[in-house]
Amino acid sequence: MSALDNQNPVQDAIVASLAAKLPARHVQRSLLLDYTLEDQARLKAGIVCVVSEGGGNFANYRGREGDLGSTNVRLVGFIQVEADAAPEETEKAELLLLAELLGWIHEPGDRALLAPVDAIYPGDWQQSKQLEHPYGWLTLALDVR
């Protein structure tokens, strides 16, 4: 990623690319703080929140200060299954969303939507462990360059 005045274009590009690649999901930059108050139809479809966690790793040599860095982005997905579904259905829904997110990283679709992003590398992920059934969530770390 080349030097930018701010990181907003990176976040916006990820949202646009994800929304185009996963049209059945709802993609947004704001993080849900209480998903139990969210519209159930949106939760059943799945909501993906794109959140910046910081960044760094700049080139920082003469003439390139603050250039060629990376941004740490976290994708936070929320999902709801039917209340009478078995708890493992929550886990299955989370893992399906994870597979779609990893598929997007592998093949993001229209590369023009991702400008100014050069590369995205997946990192660690976590999930709800079925603790909040019928609600589920997962997070996926991204190294964006």
Side-chain angles (χ1 to χ4, degrees):
M1 173 170 50
S2 61
L4 297 171
D5 291 339
N6 65 59
Q7 297 299 314
N8 282 312
V10 172
Q11 298 295 98
D12 291 339
I14 292 170
V15 168
S17 178
L18 269 170
K21 185 70 177 187
L22 306 176
R25 307 288 190 181
H26 300 276
V27 182
Q28 61 191 44
R29 280 189 64 177
S30 61
L31 181 64
L32 293 178
L33 295 179
D34 187 350
Y35 54 85
T36 62
L37 300 176
E38 179 61 50
D39 179 72
Q40 288 194 357
R42 284 175 37 95
L43 272 173
K44 287 181 180 177
I47 300 171
V48 178
C49 306
V50 179
V51 184
S52 175
E53 291 188 315
N57 298 317
F58 297 112
N60 284 336
Y61 50 87
R62 192 76 168 160
R64 298 298 297 265
E65 296 87 348
D67 202 2
L68 301 175
S70 63
T71 300
N72 300 321
V73 173
R74 181 74 58 170
L75 301 181
V76 183
F78 295 96
I79 194 84
Q80 179 182 0
V81 298
E82 296 298 329
D84 60 351
E88 62 266 22
E89 295 304 315
T90 299
E91 184 174 274
K92 289 178 182 180
E94 293 166 349
L95 293 174
L96 177 60
L97 177 57
L98 175 64
E100 291 177 14
L101 295 174
L102 292 172
W104 164 76
I105 293 168
H106 180 71
E107 180 50 55
D110 185 354
R111 297 296 266 161
L113 291 175
L114 273 175
V117 173
D118 291 328
I120 299 174
Y121 301 101
D124 294 340
W125 59 278
Q126 297 177 351
Q127 64 189 113
S128 73
K129 303 174 206 71
Q130 304 177 16
L131 293 174
E132 300 177 58
H133 174 72
Y135 300 103
W137 56 264
L138 70 89
T139 68
L140 173 62
L142 302 180
D143 177 13
V144 180
R145 300 175 190 191

